[in-house]
Amino acid sequence: MWSVGIVGTGSYVPENILTNVDLEKIVDTNDEWIITRTGIKERHIAPKDMPVSELCYQAGLRALEDAQVAPEEIDLVLVATITPDYAFPATACLVADRLGAKNAAAFDLEAGCTGFIYGVATASQFVATGMYKKVLVIGGETLSKILNWEDRSTCILFGDGAGAAVLQRVEEGFGLLSFELGSDGSGGKLLSQPAGGSKLPASLETIEKNLHTVQMEGKEVYKFAVRIMGEVSVNVLEKAGLTKDDIDLLVPHQANMRIVDAAVKRLGISPDKVVINLDKYGNMSAASIPVALDEAVKAGRLAEGDIVVMVGFGTGLTWGACVLKWTKVGIQG
Ligand code: ACO
């Protein structure tokens, strides 16, 4: 098995910003409640005519540029999203086409906010076995399109964006050291978009009942998240033969500052090792981790050999984490 690393990153968020004060005009909420309960100050919202494939394309383009990889060299485009352009065809096919990734296989993966971690773990198998040389993994979402803008308990939480990474073989001992993925479908009802699938096809009734929008039992998701984020981080470090003291950078899913704080406390690491951007973007689901990673890389927060842990949870329920020994130097081969 070859070692597999992230040799380029990119991200994109739409220009339009919706602040907490703007939200005060839409639902019965206030800036102070949102900041103290979540840490979110503003989020970016895609215009009506901008689908998630556009965000994914922009992020993918930047990642390819960063990795200095031509679109034709990509063997697989994998898009993690719960807000695809269509039920089918897959958003990954649309993105591969726009990028000019003519030689790539393409498919979507759905694991909610854990999507990027699932994507990296999946894609890395192709590279590790030598089946594929270069894979583009993108986490992209336009949650704004499936929110009930009259439900203050959900519409304040989410934002739109996309983040991408190019995976390639790297020097032995670098790149992905371990990962852990998990799921518990019995918690599926805690966070879902009930209608529009084969269980509850679209009808006048489903529209009237708002069943095409995000439905969430926030408190239950919160309790699960606080428990699982710490647990899975500890497990994945153990798998890599490392401890919390080895962590140089933690890139957690950006859902709620209190959830991140609990995970950081459980791990017992210094807060300055944690990447936080949820104040600017809210919860971008599958895009949260890759956007945060890209911003950390561009800000110079990762050096060759650093240990980075990415950890997330999401609808499914799903959870996952991975440990990388950082290098952006790819090996052809
Ligand atoms: N503004 C003002 N008040 C509000 C708002 C709001 N936006 N939303 C709820 N409230 C009120 C409630 O009505 C309630 O009032 P009451 O006491 O009179 O009944 C009060 O505030 C407290 O509400 P809670 O729901 O108990 O608030 P809580 O502290 O649990 O915070 C939150 C809610 C932020 C949603 C929290 O539970 C949370 O972050 N949960 C996790 C959600 C999450 O991470 N989801 C993403 C999953 S990832 C994926 O795959 C997409």
Side-chain angles (χ1 to χ4, degrees):
M1 292 285 213
W2 303 126
S3 295
V4 185
I6 290 176
V7 299
T9 59
S11 60
Y12 180 79
V13 291
E15 269 174 31
N16 180 34
I17 293 173
L18 185 72
T19 65
N20 291 348
V21 174
D22 295 331
L23 274 166
E24 288 177 7
K25 293 168 202 144
I26 301 173
V27 282
D28 179 15
T29 190
N30 60 78
D31 182 46
E32 200 252 330
W33 191 96
I34 300 174
I35 291 179
T36 36
R37 296 292 176 120
T38 71
I40 300 165
K41 292 181 181 154
E42 55 191 37
R43 66 289 287 146
H44 291 242
I45 303 291
K48 270 203 167 74
D49 59 355
M50 187 183 280
V52 78
S53 61
E54 173 65 22
L55 308 185
C56 292
Y57 163 71
Q58 295 291 349
L61 201 61
R62 286 160 169 76
L64 290 179
E65 274 167 19
D66 189 43
Q68 296 184 306
V69 165
E72 301 81 17
E73 292 178 69
I74 294 294
D75 299 304
L76 169 66
V77 175
L78 198 166
V79 172
T81 187
I82 53 168
T83 50
D85 282 22
Y86 310 106
F88 59 89
T91 299
C93 296
L94 309 174
V95 175
D97 179 52
R98 280 215 53 202
L99 287 170
K102 295 188 193 92
N103 303 310
F107 67 90
D108 289 358
L109 181 156
E110 189 192 301
C113 306
T114 326
F116 184 72
I117 307 266
Y118 265 70
V120 167
T122 304
S124 68
Q125 305 308 305
F126 289 98
V127 181
T129 53
M131 292 296 290
Y132 289 153
K133 291 188 168 45
K134 287 164 189 163
V135 179
L136 179 63
V137 180
I138 306 172
E141 302 285 11
T142 47
L143 262 299
S144 70
K145 314 245 184 199
I146 59 162
L147 290 172
N148 175 356
W149 288 98
E150 290 174 3
D151 176 7
R152 66 177 183 174
S153 68
T154 51
C155 76
I156 56 132
L157 296 173
F158 299 97
D160 301 335
V166 176
L167 269 61
Q168 190 183 338
R169 186 183 161 197
V170 295
E171 196 184 316
E172 201 179 334
F174 283 81
L176 194 63
L177 301 183
S178 67
F179 68 84
E180 176 156 310
L181 305 176
S183 77
D184 176 7
S186 71
K189 56 190 174 304
L190 298 179
L191 181 52
S192 69
Q193 181 190 12
S198 60
K199 171 119 178 166
L200 212 51
S203 67
L204 273 180
E205 195 191 348
T206 60
I207 292 168
E208 272 163 16
K209 288 186 173 162
N210 253 323
L211 296 176
H212 297 270
T213 60
V214 172
Q215 318 281 317
M216 185 177 75
E217 290 184 36
K219 261 204 184 348
E220 291 310 308
V221 176
Y222 182 88
K223 281 191 260 173
F224 153 73
V226 164
R227 175 177 61 78
I228 207 71
M229 290 279 274
E231 244 174 64
V232 70
S233 303
V234 169
N235 290 351
V236 83
L237 278 166
E238 235 174 67
K239 275 189 181 172
L242 301 173
T243 70
K244 65 180 179 64
D245 299 328
D246 297 305
I247 299 178
D248 294 299
L249 200 68
L250 179 75
V251 187
H253 173 46
Q254 314 275 317
N256 184 321
M257 198 55 214
R258 290 184 292 149
I259 295 172
V260 175
D261 283 344
V264 170
K265 201 168 156 205
R266 165 86 197 269
L267 274 170
I269 61 167
S270 162
D272 62 341
K273 291 184 172 179
V274 185
V275 183
I276 298 296
N277 65 8
L278 69 83
D279 52 328
K280 292 188 291 178
Y281 303 124
N283 178 351
M284 295 186 290
S285 187
S288 277
I289 291 175
V291 171
L293 176 68
D294 181 51
E295 290 192 340
V297 172
K298 303 288 156 65
R301 293 183 70 179
L302 272 172
E304 185 87 359
D306 277 357
I307 296 295
V308 53
V309 176
M310 298 191 264
V311 57
F313 67 93
T315 177
L317 298 167
T318 59
W319 58 91
C322 60
V323 180
L324 284 118
K325 186 169 182 178
W326 192 252
T327 181
K328 281 181 75 188
V329 183
I331 292 180
Q332 303 291 341

